[in-house]
Amino acid sequence: MRRTCGGRSESGRGPGAGFPEQASYRRREPVEDSGESGESGRPQSGAAGKGPRGSGPGNGRQPRPGPGGGILMGRPFGVPVYVAPSWFLVAALITWVFGGQLDRVLPELGAARYLVSLFFAVAFYASVLVHELAHTVAALRFQLPVRRIQLQFFGGVSEIEKETETPGREFVLAFVGPLLSLVLSGVFYLGMKTVEPGTVPGVLLAGLMISNLIVAGFNLLPGLPLDGGRMLRAVVWKLTGKPMSGTIAAAWVGRALAVTVLIGLPLLTQTGALGNSPDQVSGMDTVTDALLAAILAAIIWTGAGNSLRMARLREHLPELRARTLTRRAVPVESTTPLSEALRRANEAGARALVVVDGHGDPTALVREAAIVGVPEHRRPWVAVSGLAQDLTDGMRVPAELAGEPLLDLLRATPATEYLVIEETGEIYGVLSAADVEKAFVAAMARPGS
């Protein structure tokens, strides 16, 4: 049987382009990083951490750390919660700073003040976790899958896999985090009324009340990637009917906010607006505040830029179509020598091989990487069955699949090649994950989009 499968490749070789001649068949080079994509593969719709001590759903793209992202602490509502290694650095910093404050308020504690400070750091990040769980519960209520929650440097992040469908849901999803932080602040305030002021419980409750107010207030600032930026995006989206317009507006406000933090925070310290008189501000205080301002400004600026890039990608996602990215393929029997299979492919102008049974039904795909690993002089003696990957249901892609559903399917079943089929069940061709990645990066890097 010599049935040729249709299809074309985004690379521009088209249906008439086949395998290179066997003597020049080379390993496919990795796609060059354009600088627009944080990592190859599927985009993530919601993973930007926000705020100095709080975060929200976000949709800026960030590189994902290892398989777990840190230490697994539990799975509330079925969502894994991880503590990133950077959290321990922040916990130590909070312990040291809060311990210095306790030394002035409760000097009788002595060295035990650092144990109390460590308890405060853990309790504070428990409050951040509640903030994140609010986003998570809202996302699950809207049937949006949540990949994980991660507590990390300067706050936490809820990685929500999909975007909300309406501006109203976007607003609610963003607002519930700061709302829970405000509720926690009120709870800690009521707790203060039940204890003696100037005691360890009183100081802890006061610190937690103030810190949760800071979390809520900072995250309500109207700029991406903060929760307030998501709320602003929802409002502009509602008024214009265009999600992209909301993202652009909120991202540029976020960048302006980053500049304001960079310049304004040190000025507030110098002028005594934060509670200390100017003559009490030391040189070390000035350096510390400038460093903190720079870190916060960098986080906000980067998050706003990531949100813009992700919005641009979502605009181009419909252009990622299985049909237009598919390589032409030729069907071969499992016992066919590799050299003969490649000859047929070159003759037909194809760039992929599909293993079929005696009835012509596809059973496996010959992996391109495996072909590369076979020296030319051995190809007449190697059957294609030894280089093939058996087909699973997840490796069968409808030819009309496009955009995010296409990426979701590829992510659910990781593979290097996929069989593309027509609605009638006929073979259309083979989709290479490398071609999808290349089109993904090209969409991200497209100027003026």
Side-chain angles (χ1 to χ4, degrees), residues 315-352:
E315 277 201 326
H316 290 291
L317 274 181
E319 300 174 14
L320 300 180
R321 303 183 62 84
R323 183 178 295 277
T324 59
L325 295 173
T326 296
R327 300 177 177 184
R328 176 175 291 182
V330 292
V332 293
E333 294 77 15
S334 61
T335 57
T336 305
L338 178 59
S339 58
E340 171 61 17
L342 292 178
R343 186 193 66 78
R344 295 182 191 179
N346 285 325
E347 185 180 272
R351 295 182 57 218

Side-chain angles (χ1 to χ4, degrees), residues 87-156:
W87 177 85
F88 295 95
L89 176 62
V90 178
L93 179 62
I94 293 175
T95 301
W96 177 65
V97 173
F98 194 70
Q101 295 175 347
L102 283 177
D103 189 35
R104 292 190 294 269
V105 178
L106 298 171
E108 65 274 13
L109 288 178
R113 67 181 183 275
Y114 291 109
L115 184 61
V116 176
S117 299
L118 179 60
F119 178 84
F120 170 79
V122 173
F124 166 69
Y125 264 88
S127 300
V128 174
L129 177 59
V130 172
H131 178 114
E132 295 304 325
L133 287 174
H135 292 303
T136 295
V137 171
L140 296 176
R141 176 67 178 82
F142 295 145
Q143 298 183 340
L144 302 175
V146 182
R147 181 172 180 262
R148 67 180 178 183
I149 296 173
Q150 187 184 51
L151 300 180
Q152 53 186 227
F153 187 76
F154 274 132

Side-chain angles (χ1 to χ4, degrees), residues 211-383:
S211 60
N212 275 276
L213 277 177
I214 293 174
V215 169
F218 191 89
N219 278 279
L220 285 173
L221 294 176
L224 288 172
L226 305 176
D227 291 329
R230 311 235 70 81
M231 295 161 62
L232 175 61
R233 175 181 182 267
V235 171
V236 177
W237 177 4
K238 178 66 174 180
L239 294 176
T240 63
K242 299 178 180 179
M244 185 63 176
S245 297
T247 301
I248 292 174
W252 279 105
V253 172
R255 286 177 169 176
L257 180 62
V259 175
T260 301
V261 169
L262 179 63
I263 299 174
L265 184 58
L267 288 178
L268 289 176
T269 302
Q270 291 295 324
T271 58
L274 296 181
N276 293 329
S277 60
D279 56 353
Q280 293 178 328
V281 178
S282 66
M284 182 58 68
D285 291 334
T286 301
V287 172
T288 301
D289 290 336
L291 180 60
L292 176 62
I295 294 174
L296 292 179
I299 292 173
I300 298 171
W301 183 279
T302 302
N306 287 341
S307 296
L308 279 175
R309 282 188 287 272
M310 281 305 300
R312 179 171 62 190
L313 171 63
R314 284 193 298 274
E315 277 201 326
H316 290 291
L317 274 181
E319 300 174 14
L320 300 180
R321 303 183 62 84
R323 183 178 295 277
T324 59
L325 295 173
T326 296
R327 300 177 177 184
R328 176 175 291 182
V330 292
V332 293
E333 294 77 15
S334 61
T335 57
T336 305
L338 178 59
S339 58
E340 171 61 17
L342 292 178
R343 186 193 66 78
R344 295 182 191 179
N346 285 325
E347 185 180 272
R351 295 182 57 218
L353 302 172
V354 178
V355 179
V356 296
D357 59 19
H359 302 287
D361 296 324
T363 60
L365 299 178
V366 180
R367 294 173 292 117
E368 184 180 17
I371 296 174
V372 174
V374 179
E376 183 180 358
H377 69 275
R378 295 196 60 234
R379 291 177 180 178
W381 316 107
V382 176

